[in-house]
Amino acid sequence: MKKAAVIMGSDSDLPVVEKAFSVFEEYGVPYEAHVFSAHRTPEEARAFSASAAENGFGVVIAAAGKAAHLAGALAANTVLPVIGIPVKSSTLDGLDALLSTVQMPSGIPVATVAIDGAQNAALLAVQILAVEDKPLRDKLLASRRAASEKVLAKNAEIAAKYHS
């Protein structure tokens, strides 16, 4: 199974991306986490993304706040799918990071999830890896079925209680 990379622009992003780690552990997806800044360590970020595929990665998640150029900087140096997590900061509540992440130029796509949306970023990464991994795809399908059954059970409870 290919690995997922989770790259943070700063260690202050760790509380957000830890939710992604939980998803990877739930699905048995191997992952690595690193701190590289698009602005303060551009060479290291470039080197990581340029060699990610040959190092066994199948998808890259980039979490950054404020100017949030990390996902684009990584995507510029790999053809692996890159998923951006805009991180909420003390200024503009993450809207600046969301716009920086989602407004990529044509030719360098970055999938973007909600502000602080690490759980969905990890689930999207799992879905990408599952395209070529049937056991992983089966786990995803089972999880979706379980979630559906849970909602339908809650519906039955509410409908029984409030049916006139």
Side-chain angles (χ1 to χ4, degrees), residues 61-99:
I61 294 175
K66 299 192 179 191
H69 295 137
L70 182 59
L74 296 172
N77 293 291
T78 187
V79 294
L80 292 177
V82 175
I83 303 165
I85 304 171
V87 177
K88 184 177 180 177
S89 66
S90 58
T91 55
L92 301 177
D93 287 331
L95 184 57
D96 49 351
L98 174 63
L99 294 174

Side-chain angles (χ1 to χ4, degrees), residues 2 14 27-28 31 61 63-64 76 83-84 93 97 100 105 109 111 132 137 139 150 152-154 159-160:
K2 298 221 181 246
L14 186 59
Y27 285 95
Y31 66 93
I61 294 175
I83 303 165
D93 287 331
S100 293
E132 295 192 10
R137 190 166 49 252
K139 284 183 188 178
K150 187 175 178 181
L152 292 174
K154 293 292 182 186

Side-chain angles (χ1 to χ4, degrees), residues 21 27 45 48 57 98 100 116 131 142 149 157 159 162:
F21 303 159
Y27 285 95
F48 181 88
F57 293 95
L98 174 63
S100 293
D116 291 349
V131 167
E149 290 168 6
E157 267 181 50
Y162 297 103

